[in-house]
Amino acid sequence: MKMLKYLPLVLCMTAGAAAPADDEVAGIGVELRVAGQSVVVNRIVPDTPAAAQKDLHVGDRIIAVTQDRGPAVQVQNLMQMVRSIRGPKGTTVRLTIIPSGEDDSHARVLSFVRGELKSLWGDGVLLAIGTTAPDIEMVELAKKTSERLSDYTNKTVVLEFWASWCGPCQSRMAELQGYPGKYPDWKTNVVLIAASIDESADIASKHLKAKGWNETHNVWVDIHAIRAYHIDAIPTVYVIGRQGRIVAVNPRDLSQVVNHELEEERAADAK
């Protein structure tokens, strides 16, 4: 399974090769998405440096990033761009933007002072294999009830983080719907948890209903779960063994990993 980090997200990524200390990490408060060959502003988060910059608008294209007084660096890769924009609180980052609907002759540079973001995502350092999976609270969307990941101890868990606005997540979610029919033993031994990180549970519910995606165990999670699993981009998937430890992170072939885990569990039970 090809895992591409190709999605909109709040700009709270590591800037450069060395990440600032956790208490210094800051961003500007925008969500990005890829449109064709361009990276564009998808959403401006309220009460952030981006919201205070009145010349930045949804739909604007970002073509270059400048660190303080350094040279402008043209960035076409979404992940490189988000990592360039994040940095220590109080430092300056400048974006070269082209307003929505305009051509390159209308390019302009906007300056931002990085600030602390209440909606900061995870740091992107995904949990290592063998780590005990954090027990997170989830809202089960069908019944609107609260539950915890620990409720599924003694099951193999596929924990897929996704959102309705994430383009690559749509094919991944559609693929997940087919696994129970393809692998019958998954129905009793595997829990496919599709954890939406949409702004609200209602948004996720409406999208799931429109798509007819009901073969997964659909939940909604908040920023605490996102941070617990260090999510800085989606889709991101963890496979958790029945002992509660992580056995795979973003595997290339999800079904192969899960089936291997089930075989290992059956062998252990037979001893």
Side-chain angles (χ1 to χ4, degrees):
M1 183 184 300
K2 196 173 184 181
M3 299 289 181
L4 294 180
K5 302 298 186 181
Y6 172 67
L7 71 164
L9 69 168
V10 178
L11 282 177
C12 334
M13 302 294 171
T14 304
D22 288 344
D23 58 353
E24 296 179 342
V25 171
I28 64 173
V30 296
E31 290 179 358
L32 299 182
R33 63 184 175 87
V34 172
Q37 300 299 313
S38 302
V39 176
V40 304
V41 177
N42 185 63
R43 174 175 172 259
I44 298 174
V45 180
D47 301 320
T48 62
Q53 173 55 266
K54 302 304 182 185
D55 289 328
L56 183 69
H57 303 92
V58 172
D60 289 350
R61 287 187 287 147
I62 303 176
I63 60 173
V65 180
T66 303
Q67 303 297 331
D68 199 10
R69 297 185 182 278
V73 177
Q74 292 189 343
V75 183
Q76 294 182 333
N77 178 279
L78 180 59
M79 291 303 295
Q80 287 181 317
M81 184 168 291
V82 294
R83 295 184 186 280
S84 297
I85 292 177
R86 188 185 185 185
K89 181 179 178 180
T91 57
T92 299
V93 62
R94 296 180 172 86
L95 306 183
T96 303
I97 66 107
I98 300 174
S100 177
E102 302 290 352
D103 58 32
D104 291 4
S105 65
H106 291 82
R108 60 194 310 180
V109 178
L110 304 181
S111 183
F112 303 86
V113 176
R114 296 178 175 103
E116 182 179 357
L117 302 177
K118 294 181 180 179
S119 58
L120 189 67
W121 283 29
D123 58 14
V125 183
L126 299 179
L127 298 174
I129 293 172
T131 302
T132 297
D135 186 19
I136 55 174
E137 186 175 5
M138 310 178 293
V139 176
E140 200 275 324
L141 292 174
K143 298 178 181 178
K144 305 294 185 185
T145 55
S146 178
E147 61 181 26
R148 302 196 67 84
L149 183 64
S150 56
D151 295 340
Y152 300 98
T153 302
N154 296 323
K155 297 275 190 179
T156 298
V157 174
V158 174
L159 180 60
E160 177 88 32
F161 290 90
W162 74 287
S164 63
W165 42 256
C166 166
C169 297
Q170 308 310 302
S171 58
R172 287 277 291 277
M173 282 291 289
E175 186 175 4
L176 286 177
Q177 309 309 306
Y179 284 134
K182 188 174 183 180
Y183 304 106
D185 58 333
W186 285 32
K187 294 180 180 180
T188 54
N189 298 303
V190 180
V191 182
L192 297 172
I193 300 179
S196 164
I197 63 168
D198 280 290
E199 290 183 18
S200 72
D202 286 342
I203 292 174
S205 293
K206 291 177 181 177
H207 189 79
L208 289 163
K209 183 177 181 180
K211 293 288 188 178
W213 290 338
N214 53 21
E215 292 295 330
T216 41
H217 183 71
N218 299 317
V219 303
W220 177 83
V221 297
D222 63 13
I223 191 66
H224 299 292
I226 295 170
R227 290 173 179 170
Y229 281 85
H230 298 253
I231 303 299
D232 74 343
I234 51 175
T236 291
V237 61
Y238 285 92
V239 180
I240 303 167
R242 65 181 184 181
Q243 301 304 317
R245 295 188 180 276
I246 293 168
V247 298
V249 183
N250 286 337
R252 289 185 176 274
D253 190 327
L254 178 62
S255 61
Q256 183 181 53
V257 168
V258 172
N259 286 327
H260 176 74
E261 182 64 16
L262 293 177
E263 289 176 4
E264 292 285 314
E265 292 171 356
R266 284 192 288 267
D269 290 341
K271 291 181 180 180

